[in-house]
């Protein structure tokens, strides 16, 4: 059974940085990614990568600020978040899924999430 464990969330001031980690266990996954959710809104796609992190996709609002990467040996993905904004405040969820050739990412298994709070 797939298990995803996120870590690295916390409270940071606007303009600061955080790095989220997600350790996967159970088997090797082809694609992994991150979504986020704020109360009252649907989960939204943030970033995804292929099996070795060589192919990446981002939602427009985080391009140039966030970087997704992957350590294949550790079966772990990371989300480096720089220049954080108050509107980045959300619960961030790690997931495994299918990444299509045009960048469409369909998540399947989910972690429990980690809270990121950006203060002004």
């Amino acid at each position: 059974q797939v298990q995803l464990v996120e870590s690295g969330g916390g409270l940071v001031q606007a303009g600061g940085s955080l790095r989220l980690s997600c350790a996967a266990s159970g088997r090797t996954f082809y694609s992994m990614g991150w979504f986020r959710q704020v109360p009252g809104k649907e989960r939204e796609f943030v970033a995804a990568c292929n099996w070795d992190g060589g192919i990446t996709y981002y939602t427009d609002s985080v391009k140039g600020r966030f970087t997704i990467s992957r350590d294949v040996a550790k079966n772990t993905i990371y989300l480096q978040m720089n220049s954080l904004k108050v509107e980045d405040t959300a619960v961030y969820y790690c997931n495994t899924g299918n990444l299509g050739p045009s960048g469409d990412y369909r998540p399947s298994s989910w972690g429990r999430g980690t809270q990121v709070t950006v203060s002004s």
Side-chain angles (χ1 to χ4, degrees), residues 32-107:
M32 295 182 71
W34 294 91
F35 274 61
R36 65 186 179 186
Q37 188 173 27
V38 298
K41 293 188 177 181
E42 293 186 357
R43 288 183 187 181
E44 67 165 344
F45 169 77
V46 176
C49 66
N50 70 330
W51 73 276
D52 67 351
I55 299 174
T56 59
Y57 293 96
Y58 300 91
T59 190
D60 286 345
S61 62
V62 308
K63 285 179 182 177
R65 300 189 298 121
F66 290 11
T67 302
I68 188 171
S69 61
R70 188 163 187 168
D71 186 327
V72 176
K74 295 181 179 179
N75 218 5
T76 297
I77 63 168
Y78 305 94
L79 187 67
Q80 178 66 44
M81 305 185 293
N82 299 328
S83 301
L84 282 161
K85 303 177 181 180
V86 172
E87 51 264 42
D88 293 319
T89 296
V91 177
Y92 284 71
Y93 295 90
C94 170
N95 39 71
T96 62
N98 294 306
L99 184 60
S102 60
D104 55 308
Y105 176 69
R106 287 184 290 255

